[in-house]
């Protein structure tokens, strides 16, 4: 048998991975698009409520920005069972439809209820409903896309291919930062507050349509086919992906792994679930989404104008993409643990510096450099590597529900960080002491704890097959 027959069909593997990673692009795009609309939401829907206190208005803005995260929580909870019941491919298609609908309706929440721009603060309720719906789509895509990639990827290339998900996420963020910047340049600040923010939110419908088309033409994964008794389809796809000899071995491993355990969540003990949940929690508690959602506000706090703040946000987004690309060439060479520990220490240093710079009223490029160093630390480690670990660490028989629990924990943590940031950052008494710096000190402390957690409790999974990783977890 020729070496060509035996070799992995990387063209097909890469094509399927890129198609699934479009879910990550939507994840990043829809997650970050809100950064350009935060001020407009506050201006149009919250500040006119003069009967409320400063704390209540800040909390309302935080909830409006963060409501999508409750949708993410629900979406991630249902995504695991849904992907098991109807397939990874069908789950991605449903997420794409939800993305499309929610994007348009969040931009124009008055549709069907009243004149566009004529409902005033009352439009906040339908806006939050549609953002919640978009969050459901993000939650589904955040679980199903990396799960799909991990299940079609050869073991030696799995780390690289699953990082495609994170490249797509940060690429989507960078793309929408550019879109927001260009829309912001179409008019003055008043136009952005009145109309421009609507175009920003509705623009997500375009990549949503592309994701649906990609998923429509993709097969499901071999592991799902085996779970559902479609062994011929699984074998045909495995042969196309890995060649016939590797396909036979992989098929045998898949069937054995699905027979050995009950499929109940704790059939491998609690340890694997706890590690997955804490990885998700720490990925958020290091403060990444406070930086990504509120980047323009952060730069305005530094003294920048609207256009400059949006441009600086683009610079941060570009750094995010660049260092995520670094992760793609290191995750399968250095391993998962070294990258996570290195990144956590980089984030601890940069967040401590950001807190100090804000507290001491330091101005200039020092804050921008600290923010870029923080993004670099996250992008080469906790951004992509956590998704790699979550997609590969859970045994086949519990992968769907276990990922659902871990990713749901991630979105709850994300909400806590996102909603609390605006409350703390807008508090007059706290700012009298810390001048917008307290949040960053907290994130620095969490980054140190994250490094210690990985060093002590997270196993290395580099180069192991999904089935071999099961041996790392022993039921207690």
């Amino acid at each position: 048998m020729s070496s060509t027959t035996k070799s992995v069909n990387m063209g097909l593997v890469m094509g399927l991975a890129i198609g699934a990673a479009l879910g990550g692009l939507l994840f990043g795009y829809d997650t970050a698009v809100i950064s350009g609309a935060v001020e407009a939401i506050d201006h149009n829907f919250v500040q006119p409520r003069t009967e409320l206190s400063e704390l209540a208005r800040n909390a309302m803005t935080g909830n409006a920005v963060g409501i999508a995260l409750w949708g993410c929580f629900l979406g991630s909870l249902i995504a695991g069972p849904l992907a098991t019941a109807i397939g990874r491919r069908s789950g991605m298609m449903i997420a794409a439809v939800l993305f499309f609908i929610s994007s348009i309706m969040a931009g124009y929440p008055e549709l069907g209820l009243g004149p566009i721009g004529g409902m005033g603060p009352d439009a906040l309720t339908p806006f939050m409903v549609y953002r919640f719906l978009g969050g459901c789509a993000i939650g589904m895509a955040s679980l199903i896309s990396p799960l799909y990639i991990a299940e079609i990827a050869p073991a030696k290339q799995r780390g690289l291919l699953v990082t495609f998900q994170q490249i797509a996420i940060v690429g989507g963020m960078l793309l929408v930062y550019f879109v927001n910047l260009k829309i912001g340049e179409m008019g003055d600040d008043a136009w952005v507050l009145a109309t421009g923010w609507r175009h920003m939110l509705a623009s997500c419908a375009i990549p949503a349509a592309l994701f649906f088309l990609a998923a429509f033409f993709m097969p499901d994964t071999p592991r799902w086919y085996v779970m559902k008794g479609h062994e011929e389809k699984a074998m045909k796809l495995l042969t196309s992906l890995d060649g016939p000899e590797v396909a036979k071995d992989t098929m045998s491993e898949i069937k054995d792994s699905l027979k050995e355990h009950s499929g109940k969540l704790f059939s491998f003990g609690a340890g694997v679930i706890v590690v997955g949940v804490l990885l998700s929690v720490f990925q958020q508690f290091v403060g990444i989404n406070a930086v990504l959602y509120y980047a323009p506000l952060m730069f305005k706090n530094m003294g920048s104008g609207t256009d400059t703040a949006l441009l600086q946000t683009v610079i941060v987004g570009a750094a995010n993409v660049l260092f995520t690309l670094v992760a793609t060439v290191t995750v399968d060479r250095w391993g998962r643990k070294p990258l996570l520990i290195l990144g956590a220490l980089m984030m601890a240093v940069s967040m401590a510096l950001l807190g100090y710079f804000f507290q001491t009223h330091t101005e200039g490029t020092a804050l921008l450099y600290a923010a870029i160093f923080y993004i670099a630390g996250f992008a080469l480690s906790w951004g992509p590597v956590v998704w790699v670990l979550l997609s590969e660490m859970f045994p086949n028989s519990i992968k769907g529900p276990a990922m659902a629990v871990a990713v749901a924990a991630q979105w709850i943590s994300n909400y806590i960080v996102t909603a609390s940031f605006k409350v703390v950052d807008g508090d007059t008494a706290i700012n009298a002491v810390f001048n917008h710096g307290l949040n960053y000190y907290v994130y620095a402390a969490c980054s140190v704890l994250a490094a210690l957690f990985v060093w002590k409790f997270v196993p290395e999974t580099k180069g192991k097959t999904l089935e071999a990783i099961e041996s790392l977890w022993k039921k207690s």
Side-chain angles (χ1 to χ4, degrees):
M1 188 172 292
S2 69
S3 59
T4 303
T5 308
K6 295 179 182 179
S7 64
V8 172
N9 185 346
M10 284 305 293
L12 177 59
V13 172
M14 294 273 284
L16 294 177
I18 290 170
L22 286 175
L25 184 140
L26 277 170
F27 172 2
Y29 195 106
D30 196 73
T31 297
V33 70
I34 198 69
S35 67
V38 169
E39 191 173 358
I41 293 165
D42 192 55
H43 175 81
N44 294 313
F45 300 149
V46 178
Q47 292 308 319
R49 302 171 189 261
T50 54
E51 73 280 5
L52 300 178
S53 66
E54 176 189 62
L55 176 61
R57 291 197 300 273
N58 285 335
M60 183 173 286
T61 300
N63 284 329
V65 173
I67 188 65
L69 300 174
W70 284 112
C72 294
F73 170 69
L74 177 61
S76 62
L77 275 182
I78 65 175
L82 186 70
T84 299
I86 68 173
R88 284 61 163 139
R89 169 182 172 269
S90 297
M92 290 190 289
M93 291 172 66
I94 292 173
V97 171
L98 291 178
F99 270 125
F100 186 87
I101 295 171
S102 64
S103 300
I104 294 173
M105 297 305 293
Y108 301 93
E110 302 93 343
L111 280 173
L113 301 173
I116 302 299
M119 290 179 61
D122 291 338
L124 180 62
T125 298
F127 169 82
M128 292 177 71
V129 169
Y130 296 127
R131 285 294 295 166
F132 178 86
L133 186 65
C136 289
I138 296 173
M140 292 173 64
S142 70
L143 186 149
I144 298 175
S145 288
L147 175 61
Y148 183 96
I149 297 170
E151 290 189 349
I152 57 95
K156 291 184 178 180
Q157 289 84 30
R158 191 175 57 248
L160 166 66
L161 293 170
V162 176
T163 60
F164 281 13
Q165 165 81 354
Q166 185 66 17
I167 292 170
I169 292 172
V170 299
M173 290 177 176
L174 179 59
L175 176 61
V176 79
Y177 289 152
F178 270 114
V179 170
N180 285 353
L181 175 63
K182 293 304 177 183
I183 291 173
E185 292 174 349
M186 291 169 63
D188 57 16
D189 287 359
W191 178 82
V192 172
L193 291 176
T195 303
W197 69 275
R198 299 179 184 275
H199 300 334
M200 294 176 185
L201 292 172
S203 65
C204 188
I206 298 172
L210 295 176
F211 182 41
F212 180 87
L213 289 174
F216 182 80
F217 290 105
M218 291 161 58
D220 220 299
T221 71
R223 287 166 178 83
W224 184 79
Y225 284 140
V226 173
M227 280 195 293
K228 295 302 176 180
H230 305 306
E231 293 186 11
E232 289 186 7
K233 287 185 178 180
M235 192 63 192
K236 182 178 179 181
L237 181 55
L238 282 171
T239 302
S240 297
L241 292 170
D242 301 333
E245 287 192 0
V246 175
K248 290 178 182 178
D249 293 339
T250 304
M251 185 72 166
S252 177
E253 288 183 347
I254 292 172
K255 292 167 71 174
D256 289 344
S257 70
L258 292 174
K259 290 176 182 176
E260 285 176 2
H261 289 266
S262 65
K264 292 180 180 179
L265 185 61
F266 293 104
S267 60
F268 285 82
V272 62
I273 307 299
V274 172
V275 169
V277 166
L278 288 178
L279 279 169
S280 292
V281 170
F282 277 119
Q283 189 197 46
Q284 299 307 310
F285 278 12
V286 296
I288 182 61
N289 284 305
V291 174
L292 296 176
Y293 295 165
Y294 294 107
L297 176 62
M298 180 176 73
F299 291 124
K300 282 192 171 185
N301 287 338
M302 296 177 186
S304 302
T306 299
D307 287 346
T308 302
L310 289 172
L311 178 59
Q312 289 171 324
T313 302
V314 170
I315 294 172
V316 168
N320 204 358
V321 173
L322 175 62
F323 285 95
T324 300
L325 291 173
V326 173
T328 67
V329 298
T330 55
V331 68
D332 283 323
R333 295 180 183 177
W334 294 7
R336 284 53 160 158
K337 287 187 70 166
L339 282 176
L340 288 175
I341 293 171
L342 172 63
L345 296 177
M346 289 175 65
M347 290 187 290
V349 171
S350 51
M351 277 298 187
L353 285 173
L354 277 171
Y356 175 77
F357 289 155
F358 274 112
Q359 187 175 9
T360 56
H361 298 266
T362 301
E363 296 182 357
T365 56
L367 291 98
L368 178 60
Y369 292 150
I372 291 173
F373 189 67
Y374 169 83
I375 288 292
F378 181 85
L380 67 82
S381 61
W382 284 79
V385 177
V386 167
W387 289 113
V388 172
L389 279 169
L390 292 182
S391 69
E392 68 186 6
M393 66 184 285
F394 297 120
N396 283 333
S397 58
I398 64 168
K399 190 177 291 290
M403 279 195 73
V405 171
V407 176
Q410 185 176 124
W411 290 115
I412 292 175
S413 305
N414 191 330
Y415 177 82
I416 292 170
V417 171
T418 303
S420 64
F421 180 91
K422 188 66 172 66
V423 173
V424 174
D425 190 72
D427 189 280
T428 303
I430 291 176
N431 287 334
V433 179
F434 292 99
N435 186 40
H436 304 289
L438 180 59
N439 279 315
Y440 305 103
Y441 286 135
V442 173
Y443 304 147
C446 288
S447 298
V448 173
L449 291 176
L452 293 172
F453 164 71
V454 172
W455 171 66
K456 188 70 174 175
F457 296 108
V458 177
E460 182 58 71
T461 58
K462 180 184 73 170
K464 295 180 172 66
T465 66
L466 294 179
E467 288 67 37
I469 291 171
E470 290 190 8
S471 64
L472 298 174
W473 306 107
K474 303 297 184 182
K475 185 171 181 180
S476 55

